[in-house]
Amino acid sequence: MLNRRILRIKAMQALYSYYLLKESLKEVVKDELVAQFEIDPAKHDFAEKEEFVKRQRFVQKLFSTHVDAGKVMDTENVEVDILKATNEHILRYQNQLDNERKSIGKSMMAEVEGIMNVYLKLLLLLPEFSFLEKQEKDKQDKAHLRRQSYWNYNLINNSLIEHLATFPPLVKMTIDKKIDWKNELDQLRTWYKDLIRKDDEMMTYQGKTSPTAEEHETAALSLIKRIIFKNDSINEFLAEMDLHWSENKTIVRSMVQKTLQSYDPEADDQFELKSLSMNPEEDFDFFKKIYKETLTHDQQLDKVIGDKTKNWDVSRIAMTDKIILKMALAEMMTFPSIPIKVTINEYIEVSKQYSTPKSKQFINGILDVLANELTSEGVIKKSGRGLIDNK
């Protein structure tokens, strides 16, 4: 299940993508602008080349100095054609950046939705393997020369799998979301043949002529725990489907296992499908807001951080550290109910996992000082639960 720390991490990853793209886009648009003032051999004398180079350098500096302001602020001694072209490219940059900001935000939300889709898809694996087993048994039954086999095709009669395959909420959700394995049937057959048919515990299970209900349930859970979530081939496949599978795997595994463990054949609802969050509306509002507010206050946060890191050039601070600082400050300023200590501790934990070995002390020190100062200035205001432990 998702928690706030995971959401902070995913927002940080989205912001990291945004800031990388921002710098890249800035360079692309700047290069396009400067290219407009290159010497044209068909129109100009090469004796003027030095003058063109000087104008290009001026244009480059003008764009870099004023791009974050949204337009050229100081127009004195700026040629009309240079001013016009520079402002047009600054506007183009701002519009493209705004589109990218929205696109990355949507992708961030879609990635969280994708976790739910992977969870549902993996629940369908057991019924799919049962279906493949039925196909194999039907083929064996129709064969002219039937071979004696220890394999009793017990997945076909596994009550947990039978109920899962027909569980109305799961059926509805997978149909609505168009989730299935239709395009991966060859892959499923390979897994069934190479993994399930050759697994020692599955062989023991399939060797039983009449497994008990408990043995059926144990086999289904074992199939999930030991094969699906531990096999390299399956995990490589899932990593291609989910770019952040290495992080999301723990969440999905927990959700799938808890769903299967909730199985009660006597209940009206034999399974309890899991949600991504205990409080999805509140958590996803936090998720969207921390991304949006960090970017909304970007320049203000740059200045606040820069003023407190006078011995450091802000541009020299590791990008991940800078994003973590910005997110933490934006959280303190935007969410009055979250205690400052909680915010600081959460982002220290994030830094341990995603930044440099020295980041923990650096981030802790900066946030501690800035939290006190911004609270004294009234920039950070806490209320309700947020007042707890804020000394």
Side-chain angles (χ1 to χ4, degrees):
M1 185 170 292
L2 287 171
N3 56 44
R4 288 286 178 93
R5 184 175 300 166
I6 294 170
L7 292 175
R8 288 180 177 97
I9 288 170
K10 293 193 176 298
M12 181 199 71
Q13 291 168 336
L15 287 165
Y16 189 87
S17 297
Y18 170 85
Y19 285 117
L20 281 180
L21 186 142
K22 179 181 179 182
E23 293 308 310
S24 174
L25 181 60
K26 193 178 290 186
E27 289 301 311
V28 168
V29 176
K30 181 175 67 177
D31 289 346
E32 290 174 353
L33 170 62
V34 172
Q36 285 190 203
F37 295 91
E38 287 180 351
I39 191 168
D40 184 348
K43 297 179 182 179
H44 307 112
D45 189 336
F46 270 102
E48 302 176 278
K49 184 175 181 180
E50 187 176 338
E51 185 61 31
F52 273 87
V53 171
K54 285 173 65 176
R55 292 183 85 212
Q56 283 183 307
R57 287 174 182 161
F58 177 76
V59 168
Q60 184 173 337
K61 184 177 181 181
L62 191 69
F63 177 87
S64 298
T65 304
H66 297 278
V67 63
D68 291 327
K71 66 178 181 178
V72 177
M73 305 301 290
D74 182 5
T75 60
E76 189 176 353
N77 300 322
V78 180
E79 297 174 32
V80 173
D81 60 335
I82 289 178
L83 178 64
K84 182 174 182 292
T86 303
N87 278 332
E88 284 176 351
H89 280 75
I90 287 176
L91 180 61
R92 183 192 306 174
Y93 163 77
Q94 295 288 354
N95 287 338
Q96 289 183 22
L97 188 62
D98 188 54
N99 289 335
E100 293 295 346
R101 175 185 61 77
K102 293 174 183 175
S103 176
I104 290 172
K106 287 180 181 177
S107 296
M108 180 184 81
M109 297 304 297
E111 194 213 324
V112 171
E113 179 65 22
I115 296 174
M116 189 68 180
N117 293 345
V118 174
Y119 157 67
L120 294 173
K121 186 156 182 152
L122 288 178
L123 284 178
L124 294 182
L125 257 185
L126 294 179
E128 289 291 343
F129 285 140
S130 175
F131 177 71
L132 288 178
E133 188 155 282
K134 186 176 187 309
Q135 285 185 322
E136 187 174 285
K137 184 177 185 301
D138 289 345
K139 187 187 297 184
Q140 177 74 10
D141 290 343
K142 292 176 183 176
H144 292 297
L145 296 174
R146 297 182 61 182
R147 293 176 298 171
Q148 193 69 26
S149 173
Y150 68 89
W151 197 269
N152 289 306
Y153 303 100
N154 287 326
L155 289 180
I156 299 173
N157 300 314
N158 188 303
S159 58
L160 183 151
I161 296 176
E162 285 180 344
H163 284 131
L164 188 65
T166 57
F167 186 49
L170 179 62
V171 172
K172 183 178 187 310
M173 288 181 75
T174 51
I175 290 175
D176 290 347
K177 292 174 174 285
K178 299 179 180 178
I179 296 171
D180 55 52
W181 289 90
K182 290 178 183 176
N183 295 326
E184 296 99 357
L185 289 179
D186 288 341
Q187 180 65 76
L188 294 184
R189 290 188 183 97
T190 299
W191 290 343
Y192 178 78
K193 177 183 175 183
D194 295 344
L195 303 178
I196 295 176
R197 292 281 309 204
K198 295 178 180 179
D199 180 74
D200 289 342
E201 286 192 25
M202 288 304 298
M203 288 180 183
T204 301
Y205 165 66
Q206 293 285 10
K208 298 179 183 296
T209 53
S210 299
T212 65
E214 184 179 352
E215 286 171 333
H216 277 309
E217 291 173 28
T218 299
L221 277 166
S222 178
L223 187 52
I224 286 289
K225 290 179 180 179
R226 293 184 313 96
I227 298 179
I228 293 172
F229 279 102
K230 288 191 175 180
N231 179 265
D232 290 340
S233 172
I234 295 178
N235 276 274
E236 285 172 12
F237 173 87
L238 293 170
E240 290 180 8
M241 188 168 64
D242 179 357
L243 293 178
H244 292 107
W245 176 244
S246 60
E247 298 163 7
N248 297 337
K249 177 180 177 180
T250 303
I251 303 167
V252 176
R253 179 175 58 206
S254 174
M255 291 171 67
V256 171
Q257 289 181 6
K258 286 179 179 178
T259 297
L260 297 184
Q261 288 166 349
S262 71
Y263 175 58
D264 181 355
E266 303 301 323
D268 292 335
D269 289 330
Q270 294 102 342
F271 298 92
E272 181 186 346
L273 290 183
K274 299 299 176 181
S275 63
L276 282 173
S277 167
M278 292 288 289
N279 302 294
E281 187 174 342
E282 184 180 325
D283 286 341
F284 292 148
D285 180 63
F286 167 84
F287 189 38
K288 289 184 284 187
K289 211 167 180 180
I290 193 62
Y291 173 78
K292 178 184 175 183
E293 293 300 318
T294 302
L295 293 180
T296 298
H297 299 288
D298 188 43
Q299 292 185 39
Q300 176 191 356
L301 295 171
D302 259 338
K303 185 178 184 311
V304 169
I305 294 167
D307 289 345
K308 267 297 160 270
T309 54
K310 290 179 181 177
N311 295 328
W312 291 75
D313 178 352
V314 175
S315 64
R316 289 175 55 211
I317 300 174
M319 184 185 287
T320 306
D321 288 353
K322 194 173 175 184
I323 293 171
I324 288 172
L325 288 172
K326 287 183 177 182
M327 288 181 68
L329 292 171
E331 183 173 311
M332 291 178 197
M333 294 161 57
T334 307
F335 297 92
S337 65
I338 300 178
I340 288 173
K341 280 190 176 181
V342 170
T343 296
I344 292 177
N345 289 337
E346 283 295 309
Y347 286 99
I348 286 173
E349 290 302 315
V350 172
S351 74
K352 288 179 185 177
Q353 189 173 352
Y354 289 92
S355 201
T356 66
K358 295 182 180 179
S359 293
K360 172 187 171 182
Q361 292 83 357
F362 172 71
I363 288 169
N364 187 26
I366 297 295
L367 289 180
D368 194 47
V369 172
L370 285 175
N372 288 329
E373 289 188 4
L374 295 175
T375 300
S376 299
E377 294 168 7
V379 177
I380 295 176
K381 300 175 182 178
K382 294 296 178 181
S383 61
R385 185 175 144 268
L387 293 169
I388 300 171
D389 291 331
N390 277 336
K391 295 181 180 179

